[in-house]
Amino acid sequence: QTFGSSFQDYVAHEVALLACLLHPRQPGCPTCLVLYAVKVASQTLAAGQPDVMAAVVIASAVGLRELEVVRAVDPVTSTTWEGPELQAQFPKPGGGWRTAFVLRGLLSAVETQALLQEAKNMTVNYNQSDLAAATGDSEGLTGARVAVTTASVDIMQGGQYNCGPLAATLRMVVDLKLLPYVRHRYKCAGAVVSSASVLRHRPGVGANAYPAFCSVDHLAYCTIHLALNPEDAGGGMYVQSGVNVDDLGFVPLEAGDAFVHQHDLPHGMRLHSGETFGIVFHFKDSILACLTDAAAWYDVPAQEGDADAQASLAFLISSGHGSRRSSTNESDAAAWYTKAADQGHPEAQERLACLCLAGHGDVKRDAAQALHWWHKASMQGHRIAQRKLAEILLQGRGVGRNAAEALKWLQRASEQGDVEAMHLLVIAHSTGTGCIQSERVSLNWCEKAAALGHREQLHRLAVHLTSGRGLAQDLQRAAKYFRRAADGGHLSAQCNLGVFYVLGLGGLSKD
């Protein structure tokens, strides 16, 4: 648990590596997962960046149940693919199961290496400023630290390949392996690939402190992720069986494996070292859906009571997607969100609360109802709902103002990595709102929020380091934090950084 010297670091690292080598690898084996977790912890510790979160999450990896070899026959072309399939199931809100599959060795070693080289060539010109950062809830977080940064290159759109020489290899993989499997597994003869992208994942800035952000693919009937070099990075693919950060599960993949799931499974990436390449394929249930970007597969299960389908249908209606656009979008969305929320779907509860508070369109503004649904979602561990519940309690909207109760929910959201909740905790403890005023506690949360890139808290921390109030004066650290906040657009930080340059403070040359 703690290593007291560099010699002990070395021993722990070598023992972990040796144990991983000696123990036979088996899918879902608890010993394998624990050994891998120890390896991750020791490697990141040796590098000076201990990542306990990664070790804990990996140790609680998704349990994959090995099935017999599956023989998938394409009902359209009669093409047959045969190979080992592993399965994991997660309970749905309201009943039923979300299911994921791992196809071991779907790609041959030759295919994997060929696609990996092409993927590297395609993304070689992407730099950090080009990357899309998966932050999850990005309110006020320009320049925030994230779990992973992703470079994405489209290689198929609208069912058409647009990747030059790579198309021939991809077409063979799609026609001979992916389509037979998807059409067989989901009993959907009309399934087609709608879009595909080459992805390069790298650790985000401060990834050791930030959990994986998981989301669903609303516009995909099903999704297949091809792993090309997962062994070259620490971390990887995660799924989230619930809304609490503790519900994250690591998906153990090897080079050439395929991870398959439908639109109801939240998933995401988190890396703490190295870089990985992969190809993601999004499928539609028909050629017509591919051409029109429709998502008609939600209608029947939503009518039959599937909470995930109801929540996704409400999301598409609320966002006015395609054929879902109408003059009654908000009220129709609220009706479907309510059906899912009544079954305990936390994401539907949170979104319904937002509609109730804002009073969009035909939905009447009702702060009491918003508070009701945010409380329901908060009780299930939804961190954004916990923060918004706290905000409405601080404002006294829909209920009497209750700062002490608000503080409790801010604490819970902050413990799940919600940086805006941390920001509010800083203010609460510095002003004594709902608690005894404590500059020490306030600064503790300030440092945590700054570590996750919150601009206001980066500036606040820099001010404390400049003045020496509550912290030892450190002008060099102050200059660093002023710069990070200034780069994120914080005006006061930009002014203060300018003063540092004028006076030549914090190791900066006079300018």
Side-chain angles (χ1 to χ4, degrees), residues 195-225:
S195 63
S197 302
V198 168
L199 304 177
R200 184 191 71 197
H201 300 292
R202 289 177 175 173
V205 181
N208 286 356
Y210 207 92
F213 168 66
C214 295
S215 62
V216 297
D217 298 325
H218 287 290
L219 295 177
Y221 176 70
C222 73
T223 303
I224 294 183
H225 308 260

Side-chain angles (χ1 to χ4, degrees), residues 308-383:
D308 281 331
Q310 291 169 343
S312 290
L313 182 56
F315 174 81
L316 294 180
I317 293 172
S318 179
S319 59
H321 175 76
S323 61
R324 309 290 182 182
R325 190 176 293 109
S326 74
S327 60
T328 59
N329 274 19
E330 288 80 7
S331 57
D332 291 344
W336 283 113
Y337 275 138
T338 300
K339 290 178 183 292
D342 285 339
Q343 295 193 71
H345 196 289
E347 193 65 37
Q349 292 169 343
E350 199 282 322
R351 292 181 184 274
L352 180 58
C354 292
L355 285 178
C356 290
L357 187 67
H360 288 297
D362 295 334
V363 179
K364 293 182 179 180
R365 184 176 297 176
D366 190 336
Q369 271 295 97
L371 182 131
H372 167 77
W373 288 117
W374 271 326
H375 186 267
K376 289 277 190 183
S378 295
M379 291 295 290
Q380 296 192 69
H382 196 295
R383 65 182 180 87

